[in-house]
Amino acid sequence: MATETLALDKPRSPRRPAARRSNFELYSWLFMRISGLALVVLVLGHLFIMNILDGGVHRINWGFVAGRWSSPFWQFWDLAMLWLAQLHGGNGLRTVIDDYARKDSTRFWLKIVLYVSMVIILFVGTLVIFTFDPDMAGS
């Protein structure tokens, strides 16, 4: 009885070195779930307070916003909604760009436009929340 050894052919494509993998996509996936839950609480709380407890949207004017943003609690609430919504939506759109943009250059430029617009919206929104002057209506 002769023992035969099994010889495997070399693969057709050369073996690539193992890529270093980061956990960015895992953290991105976790962020989407956690921020989504936080946004549900923040937005539903916002809608409940603004539309039911505070008497409806017809009461919203300059004075209402000035009174609301004079409290650090409401500033933080609105800031958290702004940042979470912007980052959550931007992360989702980043995933859509990765899935549907075929060319690397298209993907690159779409992401640049996305990131720049996110930074501008976050900067301007944060600036408005913290520098809002309630006395401006009287001048």
Side-chain angles (χ1 to χ4, degrees):
M1 229 184 188
T3 58
E4 294 180 23
T5 59
L6 181 61
L8 296 175
D9 290 335
K10 290 185 177 180
R12 290 187 189 122
S13 60
R15 208 167 239 233
R16 291 185 292 164
R20 283 192 244 166
R21 299 183 68 165
S22 71
N23 287 331
F24 176 75
E25 289 299 329
L26 172 65
Y27 296 140
S28 174
W29 183 86
L30 281 172
F31 172 76
M32 290 298 276
R33 273 60 188 172
I34 294 168
S35 67
L37 287 173
L39 279 168
V40 166
V41 171
L42 288 169
V43 170
L44 289 180
H46 174 82
L47 290 172
F48 179 75
I49 291 166
M50 298 297 282
N51 294 324
I52 296 172
L53 294 183
D54 276 343
V57 294
H58 64 278
R59 290 192 53 211
I60 299 174
N61 58 20
W62 184 275
F64 180 82
V65 174
R68 184 175 164 102
W69 279 354
S70 65
S71 165
F73 175 80
W74 291 118
Q75 283 181 327
F76 176 76
W77 185 289
D78 289 345
L79 186 71
M81 275 197 308
L82 169 71
W83 276 77
L84 283 175
Q86 187 65 34
L87 294 174
H88 183 92
N91 190 29
L93 192 52
R94 179 193 60 83
T95 304
V96 170
I97 290 169
D98 281 341
D99 287 346
Y100 290 103
R102 294 177 188 244
K103 291 171 43 180
D104 287 339
S105 61
T106 304
R107 189 176 304 118
F108 172 79
W109 286 110
L110 286 173
K111 284 184 180 179
I112 291 296
V113 169
L114 172 65
Y115 298 148
V116 167
S117 66
M118 286 176 63
V119 167
I120 290 170
I121 290 170
L122 287 172
F123 176 76
V124 171
T126 302
L127 188 69
V128 167
I129 289 173
F130 287 118
T131 62
F132 182 78
D133 183 14
D135 294 330
M136 201 165 122
S139 54

